[in-house]
Amino acid sequence: MGLLSKKDAKLITDPLFDNNPITIQVLGICSALAITADLKASIVMSIAVLFVLGLGNVVISLMRNIIPSKIRIIVQLIVVATLVIIVDIILKAFAYELSKTLSVFVGLIITNCIIMGRFEAFALANGPWKSFLDGIGNSLGYGAILVIVGFFRELLGSGTLLGIKVLGDPIEKTGVYAFGYENNGFMLLAPMALITLGIIIWVQRARNTSLIEN
Amino acid sequence: MEHLELFFKAIFIDNMVFATFLGMCSYLAVSKKVSTAVGLGAAVIFVMAITVPLNWLLDQYILQEGALSWLGEEYAEYDLSFLSFIMFIATIATMVQLVEIIVEKFSPALYNSLGIFLPLIAVNCAILGGSLFMQSREIETLGLAFNYGVSSGIGWFLAILAIAAIREKIRYSNVPAPLRGLGITFIITGLMAIGFMSFGGMLTGGDEPEATEQPVEILEASVNSEVEIIDVEVTEEAIELVNNEKEIIE
């Protein structure tokens, strides 16, 4: 990569795998699970977080020398809340149906621990460009998990991907349904999001044994 | 009766952790020991009992469409609901700070046991989620809003208490190495959520829903097999007719 130095590139690639915000840092699970019942909502949620975290990190990093440390939490919350309001209004204007599905979870990006966590851990101590890369990297890592969970839940739960029937038509018995396959509606319910994520963590830690907890 | 229904619904059916995944971060981070889990759970109940009714007042008298009409005629058409995120989170952050100061002054013992958890609470999704759900579910009175805050807090408290107790025990079990810690906690939470789903039928009374569902199913089946070109409107009318007939027969 010519544009980015090796160190900068690491800021983006690290959170994607070995320092993933969801599976390793345990941040941002709150709003991650409830909206992963279909792939489209997961993708939109990831983009929203990408926007808020990328921009928020830059803003906080620019203000890091003038924020009194005693009231920094409130300042950070106000910055995030403003960005989230922008996202919410854009969603309502251009994707109204989707904003109904996401309902309160757009608002809950404000308290998404991933955002506060990155502000505290990174943006308050680093320059704007590095903070921007860190924000992008972490929200991509977050988005990756969301998309994986959303992919499996939509595929196994309703037999579709992004609303397209990839497994055939369950009513007319085409595709795999002709062989007696049935959709597992349980995948769409809340508990399976948790179990799917548990299995992702299992796979990840089985591949990289240095991540195992004692 | 209304209060009782909301109370049980918020604790068991719409449980913050198991049904809506709110407050998962602190739920996972602070559930290694029962005693700390109790401290955080108590703090959450306390803060929710204050912030939900307060945000209800804000929503009702400042933010909603037409809420400003008490100021005078010319303000009656203002709709400030786009500001609700920022108002709610500001209220929560200030209230947490205020509660911290008050508790420190009047009850140092309680402060010592809650102390470290209070600042954490400002960014707990369960607290903001409580206020946002209160807004989107259009809770009607201040009393109900208070009830909703307390009972969702209790639901969260129950969840973190249960998982902390299980995690204390599971330390002596032989869990597959890659699942240890976070992985097994997720899977246990999933299993607990399946258990909590069984509360779903708690508040639907008797046979009423079945009676209305049955004719619709039969009708749809017959429509699909016999005539496929019927308009949607017509089928809806037919469903109504069948329902009416059934009522008359009964």
Side-chain angles (χ1 to χ4, degrees), chain B residues 109-120:
Chain B
L110 184 66
Y111 179 77
N112 284 335
S113 58
L114 292 185
I116 33 167
F117 301 118
L118 277 172
L120 264 181

Side-chain angles (χ1 to χ4, degrees), chain B residues 44-55 91 95 99 146 149-150:
Chain B
V44 166
I45 299 181
F46 193 54
V47 173
M48 280 193 89
I50 299 171
T51 56
V52 174
L54 211 65
N55 281 335
T91 317
M95 280 319 294
V99 166
F146 175 73
V150 173

Side-chain angles (χ1 to χ4, degrees), chain B residues 93-121:
Chain B
T94 4
M95 280 319 294
V96 168
Q97 209 102 100
L98 209 65
V99 166
E100 201 180 338
I101 294 167
I102 293 173
V103 172
E104 189 181 11
K105 178 94 171 89
F106 291 104
S107 169
L110 184 66
Y111 179 77
N112 284 335
S113 58
L114 292 185
I116 33 167
F117 301 118
L118 277 172
L120 264 181
I121 281 179

Side-chain angles (χ1 to χ4, degrees), chain B residues 89-169:
Chain B
I89 197 71
T91 317
I92 289 167
T94 4
M95 280 319 294
V96 168
Q97 209 102 100
L98 209 65
V99 166
E100 201 180 338
I101 294 167
I102 293 173
V103 172
E104 189 181 11
K105 178 94 171 89
F106 291 104
S107 169
L110 184 66
Y111 179 77
N112 284 335
S113 58
L114 292 185
I116 33 167
F117 301 118
L118 277 172
L120 264 181
I121 281 179
V123 286
N124 188 328
C125 341
I127 311 280
L128 181 64
S131 291
L132 290 175
F133 274 125
M134 173 274 297
Q135 191 190 30
S136 72
R137 286 179 191 164
E138 291 166 1
I139 285 179
E140 279 155 17
T141 63
L142 185 61
L144 280 174
F146 175 73
N147 182 345
Y148 183 71
V150 173
S151 44
S152 336
I154 293 175
W156 199 87
F157 177 83
L158 268 183
I160 195 170
L161 190 62
I163 195 75
I166 293 175
R167 283 182 87 171
E168 273 196 3
K169 284 278 175 207

